[in-house]
């Protein structure tokens, strides 16, 4: 695979050179600076006008941000059509993920659906089986909600110990955006539920025709049939034109390219909720329908892909989320979990959405073991990896929300480590 | 909007207004917006492909293990291996029984899938990979029967159909239980987690750098 980052100037070597000059202030940055643009000189961009309007009808990030991209781990899967790309969490801040950086997980590639040919069918235990066009869905009352979406397999490679050296890879199967759509409850009301209705099956129109069972109580609670993310129409890789939003629950049930909702009186036990997305324990038995994503957090920077550049004042930045409601608090440890201090949450604190936390500290070049620990409004406290393993063993693949440890070394490099 | 729809809408508004002024305890009936079309039987027939664990939704047709062998060799073996052992990195479909408690569990149709429908419904909607929903119903029954045969779940004379559906006993049918995290992991709820001297000395026991499986990373930019 071509490395999308070839063009960036940063190399490990340059970083180390920069680190040697710690506190020199300007040398350690990603790109070499050019004296002709620095005071007292006046750079070209001040002397001459730049491009006019209209040349970028759909704007892209600055060319200097080319390395802020989703990345893959090619050895993880047999084929890119059923695979995953990861959100570059270490290069983002705030709580909203830009649409083009939201991680991808497809099971049959990206369906490219003509919105004119988009149909959503609703049938089964209903009074009136219905078909909606996209325009009809858009005519129904709208809601706007910010929710995180985490793949149940996020951090799944880390059950047996530290494996992937970067929070993009260890935690990058999460994103958080604002959805616009119609409440699933409203759609179900249009069809009229039979009294025996208890479960619904959501099915995609992609080449995997992904299908999952969801209890009716959840469907009537806060699920959305969404067509927009962050104001614009869903991206193709996020299910354009219509996806299901199942707040707080594992990403696999948020069926993309949604084409059908069937109402039944029992779950279907599809392949995706039996062979996959079940959590195998040491007993050899597996938990099923583990829908809720437990509270979790991660320090996004510093992290292995975002080493510490300077001694002195530094900001630790991280994300926390819980499928059970609001995040109440996030604690940070610099010594591998011996002592904790409460981090500062800045920005919105919403149900089942990411929160951004900060912890400011002075670094004098000593080795540190950074951790973060999220707590939600139900009182659930993110457990250590060992505490999780004690109950679940190491075979469950899914739902690894254990506390992550990053080791900061004297040269500012950061490594994903396990502590015992 | 058509005249009659407008009238219906107006009537609904009046009704909604009337009920809202009445006792609040009375649940408002949901609004029908008159948007969407009735799904016809013909429309549903083409998309209604799901099959439930009790066999509800299974189509007409049948297929023998013998017929399934041919379908499997033609359309599946290139990826899944002649014996379901996997060719290269594609999913393994057979063997693996008795491994679920081990350090290296092998999850297959025979060792892990709880229901026949979980296999059948999936092949019907997703396989063969790259040419989904191309198998006829008889082929589908036959190839599923063959995958069961590769897993020693049925014998070589078996013919799978709606009628024989109930005869298939999946080995790991009792291998699953409902999410019990709220009881089994009750200890994770703690209103005042430890803040000071919470553990003894901390030792690094593993390093991702030593494992060295991270894709080449030339993008370090440092904290901001």
């Amino acid at each position: 695979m071509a490395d999308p980052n070839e063009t960036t100037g940063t190399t490990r070597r340059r970083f180390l050179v920069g680190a040697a000059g710690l506190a020199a202030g300007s040398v350690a940055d990603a790109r070499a600076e050019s004296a002709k643009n620095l005071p007292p000189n006046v750079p070209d961009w001040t002397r001459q006008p730049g491009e006019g309007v209209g040349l970028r009808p759909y704007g892209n990030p600055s060319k200097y941000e080319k390395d802020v991209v989703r990345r893959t781990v090619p050895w993880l899967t047999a084929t890119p059509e059923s695979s995953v790309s990861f959100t570059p969490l270490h290069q983002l801040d705030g709580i909203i993920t830009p649409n083009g950086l939201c991680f991808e997980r497809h099971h049959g590639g990206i369906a490219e659906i003509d919105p004119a040919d988009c149909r959503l069918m609703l049938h089964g235990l209903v009074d009136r089986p219905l078909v909606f066009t996209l325009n009809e869905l858009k005519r129904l009352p709208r809601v706007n909600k910010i929710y995180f979406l985490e793949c149940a397999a996020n951090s799944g490679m880390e059950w047996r110990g530290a494996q992937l050296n970067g929070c993009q890879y260890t935690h990058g199967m999460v994103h958080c955006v604002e959805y616009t759509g119609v409440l699933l409850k409203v759609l179900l009301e249009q069809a009229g539920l039979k009294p025996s209705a208890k479960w619904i099956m959501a099915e995609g129109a992609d080449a995997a025709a992904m299908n999952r069972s969801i209890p009716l109580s959840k469907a009537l609670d806060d699920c959305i049939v969404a067509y927009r993310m962050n104001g614009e129409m869903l991206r193709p890789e996020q299910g354009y034109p219509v996806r299901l939003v199942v707040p707080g629950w594992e990403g696999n049930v948020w069926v993309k390219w949604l084409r059908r909702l069937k109402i039944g009186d029992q779950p279907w036990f599809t392949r995706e909720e039996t062979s996959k997305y079940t959590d195998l324990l040491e007993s050899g038995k597996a938990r099923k329908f583990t829908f809720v994503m437990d509270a979790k957090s991660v320090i996004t920077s510093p992290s292995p892909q975002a080493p510490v550049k300077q001694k002195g004042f530094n900001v630790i930045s991280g994300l926390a989320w819980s499928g059970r409601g609001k995040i109440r608090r996030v604690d940070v440890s610099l010594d591998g979990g011996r002592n904790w201090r409460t981090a500062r949450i800045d920005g919105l604190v919403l149900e089942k959405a990411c929160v951004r936390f900060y912890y400011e500290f002075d670094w004098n070049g000593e080795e540190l073991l950074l951790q973060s620990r999220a707590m939600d409004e139900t009182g659930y406290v993110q457990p250590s990896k060992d505490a999780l393993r004690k109950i679940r063993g190491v075979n469950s693949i899914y739902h690894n929300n254990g506390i992550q440890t990053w080791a900061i070394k004297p040269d500012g490099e950061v490594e994903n480590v396990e502590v015992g | 909007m058509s005249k009659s729809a407008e009238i219906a809408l107006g009537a609904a508004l009046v009704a909604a207004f009337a009920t809202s002024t009445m006792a609040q305890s009375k649940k408002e009936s949901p609004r029908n917006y008159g948007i969407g079309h009735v799904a016809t039987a013909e429309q549903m027939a083409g998309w209604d492909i799901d099959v439930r664990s009790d066999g509800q939704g299974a189509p007409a047709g049948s297929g023998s293990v013998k017929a399934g062998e041919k379908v499997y060799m033609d359309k599946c073996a290139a990826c899944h291996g002649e014996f379901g052992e996997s060719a290269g990195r594609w999913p393994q479909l057979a063997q693996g029984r008795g491994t679920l408690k081990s350090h290296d569990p092998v999850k297959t149709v025979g060792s892990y899938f709880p229901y026949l429908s979980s296999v059948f419904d999936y092949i019907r909607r997703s396989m063969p990979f790259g040419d989904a929903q191309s198998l006829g119903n008889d082929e589908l029954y036959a190839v599923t029967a063959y995958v069961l045969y590769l897993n020693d779940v049925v014998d070589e004379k078996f013919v799978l159909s709606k009628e024989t559906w109930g005869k298939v006993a999946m080995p790991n049918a009792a291998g699953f239980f409902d999410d019990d995290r709220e009881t089994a992991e009750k200890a994770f709820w703690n209103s005042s987690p430890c803040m000071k001297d919470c553990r003894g000395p901390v030792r690094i026991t593993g390093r991702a750098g030593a494992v060295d499986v991270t894709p080449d990373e030339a993008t370090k930019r440092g904290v901001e």
Side-chain angles (χ1 to χ4, degrees), chain A residues 390-413:
Chain A
K390 224 176 251 166
I391 297 175
R392 304 193 194 165
V394 294
N395 287 340
S396 58
I397 302 174
Y398 306 106
H399 293 278
N400 183 352
N401 68 320
I403 290 173
Q404 175 64 44
T405 310
W406 304 129
I408 300 194
K409 301 171 192 183
D411 62 3
E413 291 278 312

Side-chain angles (χ1 to χ4, degrees), chain A residues 14 28 51 57 102 138 145 197 220 240 248 257 266-267 288 293 297 303 393:
Chain A
R14 167 163 300 146
E51 260 179 17
C102 290
K138 286 179 166 176
K145 291 280 188 184
L220 294 174
Y240 180 91
W257 310 290
Q266 51 175 271
K288 64 180 193 292
M293 299 309 294
S297 67
S303 62

